[in-house]
Amino acid sequence: HPFDTVKVRVQTEGRSGRFAGPFDALLKTVRQEGPLALYRGVTPPLLLTGGINFLLFGMQGVATDWVKGEGGRGREARAGEVARAAVMTGAVISVVVTPMESVKARLQVQ
């Protein structure tokens, strides 16, 4: 997570920001705010990642069965079926993950 915090801080500052690069951002953050500042924004992912993964894998199974249809019961899904199900699952799960990532990024740049 510290690498993610440094990355987000450098990205939000841009080239003309207060950091000359990732290493500078790391040093300035630790010097000015202490080492715990590198873990800002860690709470939302810690609290929500398990539930999101639970939804992701559950939805992938349901979507794969739906894509296979009635004729596909009892057989392994083909690669194309798994891919179509993954696209559907990814589209749905992104609606859940995006707000969490937004909160995390806002906490990291405080």
Side-chain angles (χ1 to χ4, degrees), residues 1 5 20-21 26 30 38 42 44 54 57 75 82 95-96 99 101-102:
H1 195 272
T5 301
L26 174 69
V30 170
L38 297 173
V42 75
F54 173 78
F57 288 111
R75 68 166 171 81
V82 172
V95 174
V96 176
E101 289 293 324
S102 177

Side-chain angles (χ1 to χ4, degrees), residues 56-86:
L56 177 69
F57 288 111
M59 287 180 1
Q60 178 69 22
V62 170
T64 301
D65 289 343
W66 185 77
V67 168
K68 287 189 323 185
E70 289 296 321
R73 300 255 184 236
R75 68 166 171 81
E76 289 291 319
R78 296 183 185 108
E81 293 168 336
V82 172
R84 284 194 304 270

Side-chain angles (χ1 to χ4, degrees), residues 45-59 93 96-97:
L46 279 177
L47 295 177
L48 299 175
T49 299
I52 289 170
N53 285 336
F54 173 78
L55 285 173
L56 177 69
F57 288 111
M59 287 180 1
I93 205 70
V96 176
V97 172

Side-chain angles (χ1 to χ4, degrees), residues 21-32:
F23 191 67
D24 184 50
L26 174 69
L27 291 177
K28 285 182 179 175
T29 299
V30 170
R31 281 186 195 137
Q32 295 170 1

